């Protein structure tokens, strides 16, 4: 049995061998499972002291909400954070990967990471995969050169902007920004504007919903306000809470405060942070 | 989203003159119209540009309509050229209504001709009654839906507003016949950019100045973010007393953000 064509292993990048098979299956009516997308509203803006990033918290799988409270603001460096829209796996993997690369780079140079470094690493990777890595990112941070805000599109193009929105709710959020943004906002005004923009996305776009996450990055440090606003609480909750049926006998009550068993290492908190 | 390029004989499925008379794609289009109810009536805004439409192969809109289409290069097409800069896309209808349209301009003119006839016949009854906005809206819905059923749509999204006997009315009809009534409506891109603003900031009994300010806010965002928007707009007002359409004017825009001035400041040679 001799093969006229010797099959060599693919050298790197994507191998598109299975695409034909997928097409053939699709013609026969076999539906591939849909991707878990973060159909999303993500925004960023520059205010007078730094950058504020905002995101909603809904992750969708086609028409179903698969995660009501996911985290879309990813850690890149202590002074750089990145919001991700598009396929959830792609945004997580790409931001994780570049975050590790930045850490290694920090060890190598002994300096704080710069936002343009993260930008270049991300755009090179995404361009290399020609848009198949479906990650649309809003990257923001403050480094020695000042505050920066960039958007990165799945095909690898980037923009440097004073305010940016991405995701399915980007038009609703951009409407809010375009009408209300001005330069030199204070921290509270900036947070209020970002919250308004994300809420606009949450209430006007079906792919976005649940809560608002905010991350404020300044020269001094960062503040990650997880679930800063929760405009969609459960409508009906039992006010009595849960109580065990009366017949249960309590034999022993022992409460172990877990906090005491954890050692807090000063200054080492940023390592492995997600 | 598939359509096949077909040769003439295959069209016989749909009848003898199946392709030649149907609207396949719009040629000369206007962009969004935004309207809201205010204290005394309705305020409506639309810009005055009309663009040629780009080639059919790249658009999403046709998928809901076209079964078979002949995809050959059309001579004399305007592409995405801003061909007409003084198109009035809002017109008074009868005594009580104001119609604004986005989409194909020639279909809008056809609709105006139908409405002309409708109003004329109504006047000829000479019975002291006149068609109000609700009635005109219903008529338009029937026309649009009927055309859609014949696979020959009038390629417009219409906004119909008016006041009759103190009752304010604002409704919209899309090209496939979807119609509804609301306190604020928008067509096209206005749905995505203007309605979120209106949902947040509209309230009952807006004054005229507040209404105009709100409409201008929406039109400014559309000007920034809709590629087919033009900075020359008109605002129309309809109250119990009648229709007033303002003279065309432009909005002030702001481009002096520091990030726009030198985007590659952080990394020289980058973009």
């Amino acid at each position: 049995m001799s093969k006229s064509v010797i099959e060599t292993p693919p050298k790197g990048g994507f191998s598109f061998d299975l695409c034909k098979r997928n097409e053939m299956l699709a013609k026969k009516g076999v539906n591939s499972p849909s991707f878990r997308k973060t159909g999303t509203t993500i925004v960023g803006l520059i205010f007078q002291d730094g950058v504020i990033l905002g995101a909603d918290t809904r992750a969708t799988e086609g028409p179903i909400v698969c995660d009501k409270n996911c985290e879309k603001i990813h850690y890149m460096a202590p002074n750089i954070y990145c919001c991700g829209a598009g396929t959830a796996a792609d945004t997580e993997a790409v931001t994780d990967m570049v975050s590790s690369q930045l850490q290694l780079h920090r060890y190598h140079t002994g300096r704080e990471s710069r936002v343009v470094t993260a930008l270049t690493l991300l755009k090179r990777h995404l361009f290399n995969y020609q848009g198949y890595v479906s990650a649309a990112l809003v990257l923001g941070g403050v480094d020695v050169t000042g505050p920066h805000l960039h958007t990165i599109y799945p095909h690898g193009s980037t923009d440097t902007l004073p305010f940016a929105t991405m995701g399915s709710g980007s038009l609703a959020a951009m409407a809010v920004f375009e009408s209300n943004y001005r330069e030199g906002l204070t921290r509270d005004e900036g947070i209020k504007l970002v919250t308004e923009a994300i809420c606009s996305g949450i209430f006007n776009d079906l792919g976005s919903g649940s809560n608002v996450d905010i991350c404020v990055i300044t020269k001094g440090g960062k503040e990650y306000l997880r679930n800063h606003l929760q405009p969609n609480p459960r409508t009906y909750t039992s006010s009595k809470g849960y109580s065990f049926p009366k017949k249960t006998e309590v034999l022993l009550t022992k409460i172990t405060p877990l906090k005491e068993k954890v050692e807090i290492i000063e200054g080492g908190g940023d390592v492995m942070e997600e | 989203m598939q359509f096949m390029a077909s040769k003439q004989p295959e069209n016989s499925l749909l009848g003898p003159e199946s392709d030649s008379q149907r609207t396949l794609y719009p040629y000369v289009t206007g962009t969004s119209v935004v309207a809201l109810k205010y204290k005394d009536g309705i305020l409506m805004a639309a810009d005055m540009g009309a663009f040629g439409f780009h080639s059919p192969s790249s658009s999403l809109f046709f998928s809901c309509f076209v079964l078979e289409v002949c995809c050959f290069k059309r001579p004399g097409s305007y592409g995405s050229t801003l061909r007409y800069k003084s198109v009035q896309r809002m017109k008074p209808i009868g005594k009580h209504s104001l119609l604004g349209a986005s989409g194909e301009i020639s279909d809008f003119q056809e609709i105006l001709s139908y409405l002309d006839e409708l109003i004329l016949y109504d006047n000829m009854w000479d019975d002291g009654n006149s068609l109000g906005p609700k009635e005109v809206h219903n008529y338009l819905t029937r026309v649009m839906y009927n055309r859609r059923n014949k696979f020959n749509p009038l390629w417009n999204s219409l906004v119909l507003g008016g006041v009759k006997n103190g009752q304010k009315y604002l409704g919209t009809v899309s090209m496939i016949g979807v119609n509804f009534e609301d306190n604020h409506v928008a067509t096209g891109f206005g749905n995505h950019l203007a309605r979120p603003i209106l949902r947040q900031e509209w309230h009952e009994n807006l004054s005229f100045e507040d209404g105009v300010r709100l409409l201008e806010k929406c039109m400014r965002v559309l000007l920034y973010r809709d590629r087919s928007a033009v900075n020359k707009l008109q605002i129309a007002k309809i109250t119990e007393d009648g229709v007033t359409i303002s003279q065309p004017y432009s909005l002030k825009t702001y481009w002096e953000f520091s990030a726009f001035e030198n985007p590659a400041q952080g990394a020289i040679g980058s973009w």
Side-chain angles (χ1 to χ4, degrees):
Chain A
M1 196 180 324
S2 61
K3 291 189 193 151
S4 48
V5 176
I6 300 169
E7 287 190 43
T8 52
K11 290 235 158 86
F14 276 165
S15 147
F16 292 96
D17 300 338
L18 289 176
C19 290
K20 268 199 161 170
R21 165 251 193 197
N22 290 341
E23 263 175 52
M24 187 266 297
L25 283 175
K27 272 199 204 101
K28 298 205 171 161
V30 175
N31 293 325
S32 56
S34 60
F35 303 120
R36 175 165 166 265
K37 303 195 88 196
T38 49
T40 287
T41 310
I42 49 174
V43 306
L45 63 72
I46 298 193
F47 72 111
Q48 68 189 22
D49 304 323
V51 173
I52 304 180
L53 299 174
D56 74 304
T57 60
R58 173 184 284 185
T60 50
E61 224 164 52
I64 302 172
V65 176
C66 57
D67 190 346
K68 290 186 284 189
N69 209 355
C70 70
E71 281 188 21
K72 299 186 191 180
I73 305 187
H74 308 288
Y75 167 86
M76 297 286 260
N79 58 324
I80 308 174
Y81 272 74
C82 185
C83 307
T87 308
D90 287 337
T91 58
E92 296 264 358
V94 131
T95 48
D96 250 4
M97 183 195 80
V98 172
S99 169
S100 316
Q101 289 180 346
L102 284 176
Q103 176 74 299
L104 289 171
H105 192 250
R106 273 202 294 285
Y107 286 141
H108 195 74
T109 57
R111 291 184 171 85
E112 190 186 56
S113 299
R114 298 194 186 188
V115 182
V116 284
T117 318
L119 179 73
T120 311
L121 289 167
L122 284 164
K123 78 156 89 161
R124 292 250 169 94
H125 180 83
L126 292 175
F127 180 75
N128 203 17
Y129 285 89
Q130 287 294 295
Y132 283 96
V133 175
S134 172
L137 310 166
V138 171
L139 175 73
V142 180
D143 55 31
V144 284
T145 51
H148 296 281
L149 179 67
H150 303 279
T151 52
I152 309 165
Y153 289 83
H155 285 264
S157 64
T158 60
D159 287 312
T160 311
L161 298 166
F163 54 90
T165 66
M166 294 286 258
S168 54
S170 63
L171 282 96
M174 186 51 87
V176 171
F177 272 168
E178 283 285 12
S179 30
N180 297 334
Y181 180 80
R182 53 189 170 76
E183 301 222 89
L185 288 165
T186 65
R187 181 180 177 279
D188 290 325
E189 287 172 339
I191 291 182
K192 181 161 168 294
L193 187 58
V194 168
T195 316
E196 262 176 42
I198 300 286
C199 282
S200 176
I202 288 176
F203 293 117
N204 290 300
D205 173 46
L206 297 175
S208 316
S210 302
N211 315 122
V212 181
D213 282 351
I214 305 257
C215 185
V216 185
I217 310 171
T218 56
K219 205 156 63 131
K222 59 120 180 30
E223 229 186 295
Y224 185 44
L225 304 166
R226 168 77 171 146
N227 288 358
H228 171 70
L229 186 69
Q230 295 182 317
N232 292 302
R234 291 191 81 135
T235 326
Y236 305 106
T237 45
S238 165
S239 50
K240 290 182 288 194
Y242 186 78
S243 56
F244 290 95
K246 298 253 162 56
K247 295 202 186 92
T248 318
E249 227 181 287
V250 178
L251 296 174
L252 168 69
T253 310
K254 181 177 174 201
I255 302 171
T256 317
L258 289 173
K259 278 203 175 132
E260 287 174 12
K261 302 213 171 196
V262 172
E263 284 170 42
I264 300 170
I265 310 167
E266 285 302 313
D270 278 340
V271 180
M272 298 300 194
E273 188 175 2
E274 230 271 78
Chain B
M1 225 180 92
Q2 309 291 327
F3 42 84
M4 309 169 273
S6 64
K7 301 182 202 61
Q8 288 297 105
E10 288 176 40
N11 296 343
S12 55
L13 267 173
L14 296 162
E17 70 267 298
S18 47
D19 258 355
S20 47
Q21 312 288 357
R22 290 188 293 132
T23 302
L24 299 172
Y25 32 77
Y27 267 114
V28 182
T29 55
T31 182
S32 349
V33 176
V34 188
L36 47 79
K37 279 189 196 168
Y38 78 111
K39 187 161 52 93
D40 305 323
I42 312 286
L43 280 171
M44 198 184 294
D47 66 28
M48 300 191 77
F51 280 77
F53 203 69
H54 48 273
S55 67
S57 51
S58 51
S59 181
L60 297 157
F61 299 143
F62 320 123
S63 54
C64 56
F65 263 107
V66 183
L67 295 177
E68 293 175 5
V69 80
C70 291
C71 297
F72 52 87
K73 193 164 187 332
R74 297 227 156 230
S77 156
Y78 306 127
S80 7
T81 326
L82 175 57
R83 177 68 176 85
Y84 302 105
K85 293 194 266 193
S86 300
V87 180
Q88 257 220 22
R89 296 191 290 116
M90 297 183 292
K91 294 281 184 185
I93 311 288
K95 284 196 287 207
H96 304 283
S97 323
L98 175 65
L99 175 69
S102 69
E104 173 63 59
I105 301 292
S106 63
D107 284 343
F108 175 50
Q109 291 169 341
E110 180 82 351
I111 289 172
L112 288 176
S113 160
Y114 288 157
L115 287 174
D116 231 0
E117 202 184 332
L118 180 76
I119 300 289
L120 181 69
Y121 273 79
D122 183 51
N123 285 340
M124 291 203 301
W125 284 106
D126 203 17
D127 56 3
N129 287 327
S130 49
L131 289 172
K134 215 175 276 212
E135 288 84 49
V136 178
H137 186 225
N138 182 264
Y139 175 78
L140 286 171
T141 310
R142 293 291 106 230
V143 167
M144 301 298 269
Y145 186 64
N146 206 312
R147 291 289 296 255
R148 166 255 191 186
N149 285 339
K150 292 195 252 187
F151 277 93
N152 185 12
L154 289 159
W155 210 287
N156 294 110
S157 288
L158 305 168
V159 172
L160 199 297
V163 190
K164 188 177 176 194
N165 298 334
Q167 294 272 36
K168 299 179 284 224
Y169 184 88
L170 180 60
T172 179
V173 192
S174 80
M175 97 173 154
I176 49 175
V178 175
N179 75 307
F180 55 90
E181 195 219 322
D182 204 348
N183 293 322
H184 45 78
V185 295
T187 64
F189 249 95
N191 273 312
H192 298 108
L193 289 170
R195 292 204 80 188
I197 300 177
L198 291 167
R199 279 183 184 155
Q200 211 174 356
E201 302 193 17
W202 184 90
H203 57 87
E204 202 71 61
N205 293 327
L206 280 165
S207 71
F208 175 69
E209 291 78 25
D210 282 341
V212 171
R213 204 175 306 132
L214 188 51
L215 270 184
E216 283 189 349
K217 202 176 196 190
C218 297
M219 294 306 281
R220 187 171 291 115
V221 177
L222 283 167
L223 176 63
Y224 283 136
R225 294 286 162 176
D226 179 5
R227 88 162 186 171
S228 34
V230 163
N231 198 1
K232 182 177 176 193
L233 68 138
Q234 288 181 303
I235 297 204
K237 160 174 83 122
I238 179 166
T239 60
E240 193 75 56
D241 306 321
V243 173
T244 324
I245 303 184
S246 74
Q247 287 300 324
Y249 67 102
S250 328
L251 293 169
K252 278 216 271 291
T253 55
Y254 181 74
W255 299 90
E256 270 78 51
F257 292 120
S258 50
F260 288 167
E261 276 162 35
N262 192 5
Q265 171 191 348
I268 319 284
S270 153
W271 66 92

